Amino acid sequence: MSGPSREQLRLGRRLVLGQALVAAVAAGCVPSLPGQGPAPRTFRVTPKYTFGPDLPSAKWSLAIAEPVAERTLDTDRIAVVTNGIGVDYVALAFWVDRAPAMVQSLIVQSFRNSGRVDQVGTNRDRVRPDFQLVSDLRAFQLNRGGGPDLVRARLNVQLLRMPRRDSVGRESFAAERAPMGTGIDAVVGAFDEAFGKVMKELVAWTVRTGNRAGV
């Protein structure tokens, strides 16, 4: 009995490669193939877990609205601003979600990690909030030109007493960090540090502002 022909061997190799690619897509990981270049990478910023022992507790509930943002930041691309005017994006690098949605989730998680507020959720959750935190994501990008590269994060916030939506306080939180290296991992590390500082200050301000306003 003769063995498989050369054409049958080629078909068999194609079938194995096709099955491997299907399995990779199903697992959420598509490898780069020869001649196609590197595969895209996805990144996230981490919430805050530690807060000062002097941060008081709050006996009220809080809803976090998704921040509003200009179109250049309302994306899952990692923004790069050059000389303050040009906007581009890091190639083959993405956030796990649109930046405003990711920021909303990070703020909720940071409040929950603090353990200081009775109930915290988004404005889409089944929470009857005593207060709502609304915000404007003014900066969330890598800045280049005119000096060293800097990651900048800035969030303008307002705390509203519900259900009448009376403002009980406004504040702006900002931070910047220089990447400790030249690669994308160093850039994302700078985002993590800069926005981590913003979240830590935001949680403390919100708890104290809400306590002063009362429910």
Side-chain angles (χ1 to χ4, degrees), residues 55-76:
L55 182 61
S57 295
K59 301 300 181 182
W60 36 263
S61 58
L62 177 67
I64 311 294
E66 181 178 306
V68 297
E70 64 179 41
R71 187 170 61 180
T72 56
L73 297 180
D74 192 6
T75 174
D76 63 353

Side-chain angles (χ1 to χ4, degrees), residues 137-171:
L137 187 62
R138 300 295 297 168
F140 198 74
Q141 74 265 349
L142 174 66
N143 283 74
R144 284 180 170 162
D149 289 357
L150 284 174
V151 165
R152 289 182 174 150
R154 180 182 173 189
L155 195 67
N156 295 346
V157 304
Q158 184 176 189
L159 189 62
L160 307 176
R161 191 202 312 273
M162 302 300 285
R164 297 181 58 183
R165 298 180 64 85
D166 299 325
S167 176
V168 299
R170 298 172 182 263
E171 190 56 88

Side-chain angles (χ1 to χ4, degrees), residues 30 69 86 90 97-98 128 138 169 212:
V30 181
V90 179
D97 203 341
R98 295 168 32 256
R128 297 185 63 182
R138 300 295 297 168
R212 283 196 300 269

Side-chain angles (χ1 to χ4, degrees), residues 48-152:
K48 292 302 295 180
Y49 288 90
T50 58
F51 297 87
D54 60 336
L55 182 61
S57 295
K59 301 300 181 182
W60 36 263
S61 58
L62 177 67
I64 311 294
E66 181 178 306
V68 297
E70 64 179 41
R71 187 170 61 180
T72 56
L73 297 180
D74 192 6
T75 174
D76 63 353
R77 305 290 302 277
I78 300 177
V80 180
V81 176
T82 304
N83 296 322
I85 54 175
V87 180
D88 205 343
Y89 300 94
V90 179
L92 299 174
F94 300 87
W95 297 122
V96 294
D97 203 341
R98 295 168 32 256
M102 182 176 70
V103 164
Q104 179 189 32
S105 177
L106 290 168
I107 294 172
V108 170
Q109 293 176 61
S110 295
F111 271 102
R112 289 174 177 169
N113 293 340
S114 76
R116 299 307 204 277
V117 179
D118 274 356
Q119 190 175 18
V120 183
T122 72
N123 56 336
R124 299 182 302 273
D125 295 332
R126 292 184 177 181
V127 176
R128 297 185 63 182
D130 298 304
F131 295 99
Q132 183 176 36
L133 187 72
V134 297
S135 59
D136 183 358
L137 187 62
R138 300 295 297 168
F140 198 74
Q141 74 265 349
L142 174 66
N143 283 74
R144 284 180 170 162
D149 289 357
L150 284 174
V151 165
R152 289 182 174 150

